[in-house]
Amino acid sequence: MTGSVLAGFPATTIRWRDQLDTPAVVVDLDIVERNLRRGAEFAASASVDFRPHIKTHKIPALARAQLELGACGITAQKVSEAEIMADAGLDDILISFNILGRTKLQRLRALAERVRLRTVADNATVIDGLSSAFSGTPDRLGVLVELDGALKRCGVPTVEHAMDHARKVDRAAGLRFDGFMIYPAPDHWQDALTFLAACKDAALQAGLDPRVLSTGGSPDMVKFAPDANVTEYRAGSYIYNDRALVSMGGASVSDCALTVHATVVSTPTPTRAIIDAGSKSLSSDLFGLSGFGMVRNRSDADIFALSEEHGHIEFADGAPAVGDHIAIIPNHACVVSNLTDHVQFVRGDYWVGEQRVEARGTVQ
Amino acid sequence: MTGSVLAGFPATTIRWRDQLDTPAVVVDLDIVERNLRRGAEFAASASVDFRPHIKTHKIPALARAQLELGACGITAQKVSEAEIMADAGLDDILISFNILGRTKLQRLRALAERVRLRTVADNATVIDGLSSAFSGTPDRLGVLVELDGALKRCGVPTVEHAMDHARKVDRAAGLRFDGFMIYPAPDHWQDALTFLAACKDAALQAGLDPRVLSTGGSPDMVKFAPDANVTEYRAGSYIYNDRALVSMGGASVSDCALTVHATVVSTPTPTRAIIDAGSKSLSSDLFGLSGFGMVRNRSDADIFALSEEHGHIEFADGAPAVGDHIAIIPNHACVVSNLTDHVQFVRGDYWVGEQRVEARGTVQ
């Protein structure tokens, strides 16, 4: 596959920097395409099914490009996110979140009638709910048992717990045990492989078929090698990259496709600049970093505080002038996508068009 | 005024807790109405024009209720926010942000043709831009010079700087010098009054008319007494209140009108609960506090981390059960309003209706 998977988004002849109103979230499709290809090459070399997480971009056209480059399907985090992707023709979806409650279970069942759907569970209440929603349906819902990746989030902590739930899923009306899923905390990706391996062995011994062994994480893609205990890899941020990924060694600055563009609106001191992008544009996610983003081409800049509409920056070497534009690589690209109704697609210096972030703000 | 200013939003007979899908942002209008009246009483007793900041709620109907209770107008932070309010009939607006750039200045000028508009400036570039946009218009644009409230944000640091800009505004074609504006950092509200007083005196000596002397902040409303050097008070959060305001003594828990409701989706340990509300619902704003919100009726709870769609909570006395609902008072209500397309209006136990957050996501 050598042609552009984003050929439907050609550059115009408009130089976008001349006409940009700020704050604006700018996505460079040339970099996106490079990142997408790198993801696809990773999946091929790692011999895994690749299932990108669309929470990073929330744009069906980009999900379709991921499929075109060989992804087996997509990952979504919400029923509502999955519904929007299904409406756009994405037809193989893992919802990597415990689904609970009458309304969501009804929607999940409706969704399963139109796409190949799989979800997760890490406790009996969720399994019982899924089973009651899907018992009596012609096809059973595929369920992965979620394992704890040391993130202090969801997931069972031991093989014994995992097998209890695997057996319960296998016995439950309307459900099909499909395997295990884990999301490793930073620096725990090898522990995750060990945990998956142990669960796989236990499942096989119990006569179950753990056909899907799913791990993930953009930061660890560079370290991952083919592994007999992993069949599927989920990654979201690799499509855009961000300051957190750069700081973890998972990407370089030139791989960062999404930037927040802002205008200096005040320079109250010779070294302080206030910009028109605050927490409503950049989010307050620190991700363990110091400062709320990285100012491109100004390594002396420290975004030391955010108000909702103001970014507060110290420039050790002297603030830019009022009216100047700056570009910021955010700490966390996914939350920036969620904050904005639209992003500006560009290719290098040229504008492509304004793109709606269709799955932004999905709640339930 | 004894009748309800929110009479247009009556309670239904539906008990909302029974039907709520989570995560959901719930706004109790009985508490809102109490808070609004308290704000109006404050303004009357403090002998100030009250100009609520609509960034907290972003809902024109609530802005209209603020006007009905005696507010002189509203404050907005963006041209786009002001446009939405103007479309809804709000006709006296202060945009408390330096406006720069051709597109925004054109929009500002269009806005001035249909509402009573005022804005701010703290530097010559902004004054020049405003002047070039408004010179030749029949009415001049009112401009307040912004003073530094020790927030390391916008605002000039000295009376001399303030007067330089005041004189420049006064001389500028298309502009009218209207006075001074400050937003005090926590614990700096008295310094702000001193700064306003000095600027007022200097302006009067220079033959200028500082008819508006504007300070603000919900945290300090409880401390404020009538002051000859303040004519206008801006406050946003007082309509909803939040954990930050409670921690600063500006409100009590029972005054918090906005809560984020979530479902426990996993209890990986006896004391850890994972809920379906993360940074996409609560935001990562810490506001100097420990933890990402306050769980109502569970003082033993610590929301120690947020993923985008998961909240991670330690309950020292034992986690609730999977499927249980909890209510969270967020650290910062304004950013929660910005994250959600809709809030659920309720009155006590009864549902009122789903309300769109019309000015959510305003960017430029």
Side-chain angles (χ1 to χ4, degrees):
Chain A
M1 171 118 18
T2 53
S4 165
V5 287
L6 295 169
F9 296 90
T12 66
T13 56
I14 299 167
R15 289 181 173 269
W16 59 271
R17 285 189 180 82
D18 300 339
Q19 58 144 30
L20 192 73
D21 198 11
T22 62
V25 181
V26 173
V27 172
D28 189 318
L29 293 184
D30 291 342
I31 304 176
V32 164
E33 188 144 351
R34 229 160 55 215
N35 293 343
L36 287 176
R37 285 181 190 282
R38 202 173 295 138
E41 286 159 16
F42 153 79
S45 71
S47 300
V48 286
D49 293 330
F50 194 44
R51 187 180 282 280
H53 204 312
I54 56 77
K55 77 190 177 80
T56 304
H57 54 74
K58 304 182 196 296
I59 297 172
L62 296 184
R64 282 192 292 265
Q66 291 171 315
L67 268 282
E68 213 178 310
L69 281 167
C72 67
I74 60 170
T75 310
Q77 203 72 345
K78 291 269 169 190
V79 176
S80 43
E81 229 174 36
E83 285 169 342
I84 290 169
M85 292 293 150
D87 291 346
L90 283 302
D91 63 358
D92 190 323
I93 304 176
L94 166 67
I95 302 179
S96 51
F97 197 92
N98 286 336
I99 306 300
L100 271 170
R102 197 180 59 240
T103 309
K104 287 196 194 74
L105 287 169
Q106 282 169 353
R107 288 163 63 185
L108 195 71
R109 182 166 160 170
L111 196 57
E113 284 169 17
R114 57 192 183 119
V115 303
R116 194 168 165 230
L117 188 68
R118 193 174 273 151
T119 186
V120 301
D122 76 349
N123 64 72
T125 309
V126 169
I127 297 169
D128 288 340
L130 294 172
S131 176
S132 67
F134 281 83
S135 64
T137 54
D139 296 309
R140 290 181 297 160
L141 175 70
V143 176
L144 306 178
V145 173
E146 183 168 1
L147 312 178
D148 177 14
L151 208 63
K152 292 196 175 171
R153 203 161 74 180
C154 292
V156 296
T158 68
V159 176
E160 291 66 36
H161 284 96
M163 286 307 301
D164 282 351
H165 294 322
R167 277 186 286 261
K168 185 172 169 71
V169 169
D170 184 59
R171 286 192 308 264
L175 305 186
R176 183 185 68 238
F177 170 72
D178 269 356
F180 300 99
M181 182 192 86
I182 194 163
Y183 186 79
D187 300 325
H188 283 82
W189 66 282
Q190 284 178 306
D191 299 341
L193 300 184
T194 308
F195 199 175
L196 279 175
C199 289
K200 173 191 167 187
D201 290 347
L204 289 173
Q205 278 171 30
L208 300 178
D209 177 12
R211 70 195 79 178
V212 178
L213 300 161
S214 182
T215 186
S218 295
D220 297 326
M221 282 166 69
V222 290
K223 306 169 196 158
F224 190 84
D227 188 302
N229 301 306
V230 172
T231 68
E232 179 180 280
Y233 203 96
R234 310 174 324 278
S237 307
Y238 82 101
I239 186 170
Y240 287 162
N241 295 311
D242 53 26
R243 186 174 174 228
L245 261 171
V246 171
S247 77
M248 288 186 272
S252 69
V253 168
S254 61
D255 299 329
C256 292
L258 180 148
T259 43
V260 175
H261 288 251
T263 300
V264 175
V265 298
S266 181
T267 52
T269 77
T271 57
R272 194 201 312 155
I274 305 299
I275 57 169
D276 61 358
S279 68
K280 263 179 62 178
S281 297
L282 290 162
S283 98
S284 299
D285 269 20
L286 278 171
F287 255 40
L289 299 167
S290 167
F292 295 94
M294 175 197 290
V295 179
R296 291 207 69 158
N297 306 316
R298 286 300 300 257
S299 59
D300 62 317
D302 173 23
I303 309 176
F304 66 93
L306 297 178
S307 305
E308 281 151 81
E309 307 283 8
H310 305 81
H312 311 215
I313 314 182
E314 268 301 311
F315 286 89
D317 300 338
V322 171
D324 282 1
H325 281 199
I326 63 170
I328 298 166
I329 299 172
N331 288 348
H332 187 189
C334 312
V335 290
V336 173
S337 287
N338 185 55
L339 285 166
T340 187
D341 289 339
H342 298 91
V343 294
Q344 303 300 322
F345 275 175
V346 305
R347 289 184 182 272
D349 293 333
Y350 295 95
W351 191 53
V352 170
E354 179 165 274
Q355 170 67 42
R356 199 159 84 82
V357 184
E358 278 108 318
R360 186 218 75 76
T362 51
V363 181
Q364 284 123 5
Chain B
M1 172 121 14
T2 51
S4 165
V5 287
L6 295 170
F9 296 91
T12 66
T13 56
I14 299 167
R15 289 180 173 269
W16 59 271
R17 285 190 180 81
D18 300 338
Q19 58 145 28
L20 191 73
D21 199 10
T22 62
V25 180
V26 173
V27 172
D28 190 317
L29 294 184
D30 289 342
I31 304 176
V32 165
E33 189 143 351
R34 230 161 52 215
N35 295 342
L36 287 175
R37 286 182 188 280
R38 203 173 295 140
E41 286 159 16
F42 152 79
S45 70
S47 299
V48 286
D49 292 330
F50 194 45
R51 187 179 283 281
H53 204 312
I54 57 76
K55 76 188 177 79
T56 305
H57 54 72
K58 304 180 196 295
I59 296 171
L62 296 184
R64 281 193 292 266
Q66 290 172 314
L67 268 281
E68 211 177 313
L69 281 167
C72 67
I74 60 169
T75 310
Q77 203 72 343
K78 292 270 167 189
V79 176
S80 43
E81 228 174 38
E83 286 169 341
I84 291 169
M85 291 293 150
D87 291 346
L90 282 301
D91 63 359
D92 190 324
I93 304 178
L94 165 68
I95 303 180
S96 52
F97 197 90
N98 286 337
I99 305 299
L100 270 170
R102 199 179 60 240
T103 310
K104 286 196 195 74
L105 287 169
Q106 283 170 351
R107 288 163 64 185
L108 195 69
R109 183 167 158 169
L111 196 56
E113 285 169 16
R114 56 190 182 120
V115 303
R116 193 169 164 229
L117 189 67
R118 194 174 273 150
T119 184
V120 300
D122 75 349
N123 64 73
T125 309
V126 168
I127 296 169
D128 288 341
L130 294 172
S131 176
S132 67
F134 281 83
S135 64
T137 54
D139 297 310
R140 291 181 297 162
L141 175 71
V143 177
L144 306 179
V145 173
E146 182 168 0
L147 312 177
D148 177 14
L151 209 61
K152 293 195 174 170
R153 204 161 73 180
C154 292
V156 296
T158 67
V159 176
E160 291 67 34
H161 284 96
M163 286 307 301
D164 284 350
H165 294 322
R167 278 186 286 259
K168 187 172 168 70
V169 169
D170 185 57
R171 287 191 308 265
L175 305 185
R176 183 186 69 238
F177 170 72
D178 270 356
F180 300 99
M181 182 192 87
I182 195 163
Y183 185 79
D187 300 325
H188 283 80
W189 68 282
Q190 283 178 307
D191 300 339
L193 300 185
T194 308
F195 199 175
L196 279 175
C199 290
K200 172 191 169 190
D201 290 347
L204 289 172
Q205 279 170 29
L208 300 178
D209 178 12
R211 70 195 78 177
V212 178
L213 299 160
S214 181
T215 187
S218 295
D220 297 326
M221 282 166 69
V222 289
K223 305 170 197 158
F224 190 84
D227 188 302
N229 301 305
V230 172
T231 67
E232 179 180 280
Y233 203 97
R234 310 173 326 277
S237 307
Y238 82 101
I239 187 170
Y240 287 163
N241 296 311
D242 52 26
R243 185 175 174 228
L245 261 171
V246 171
S247 77
M248 289 185 272
S252 69
V253 168
S254 61
D255 298 328
C256 292
L258 180 147
T259 43
V260 175
H261 288 250
T263 301
V264 174
V265 298
S266 181
T267 52
T269 76
T271 57
R272 193 199 316 153
I274 305 298
I275 58 169
D276 60 359
S279 67
K280 265 179 62 179
S281 297
L282 290 163
S283 97
S284 299
D285 269 19
L286 278 170
F287 256 40
L289 300 167
S290 168
F292 294 93
M294 175 198 288
V295 180
R296 290 206 69 157
N297 306 317
R298 285 300 299 258
S299 59
D300 62 319
D302 172 23
I303 308 177
F304 65 94
L306 297 178
S307 306
E308 282 152 79
E309 307 283 9
H310 305 81
H312 311 214
I313 314 180
E314 270 299 314
F315 287 88
D317 300 340
V322 171
D324 282 2
H325 282 202
I326 63 169
I328 298 167
I329 299 172
N331 289 347
H332 187 188
C334 311
V335 291
V336 172
S337 287
N338 186 55
L339 285 165
T340 186
D341 290 338
H342 299 91
V343 295
Q344 303 299 321
F345 275 175
V346 306
R347 288 185 182 271
D349 293 332
Y350 295 95
W351 192 54
V352 170
E354 180 165 272
Q355 170 67 42
R356 198 159 84 82
V357 184
E358 277 109 318
R360 186 218 74 78
T362 51
V363 181
Q364 284 123 6

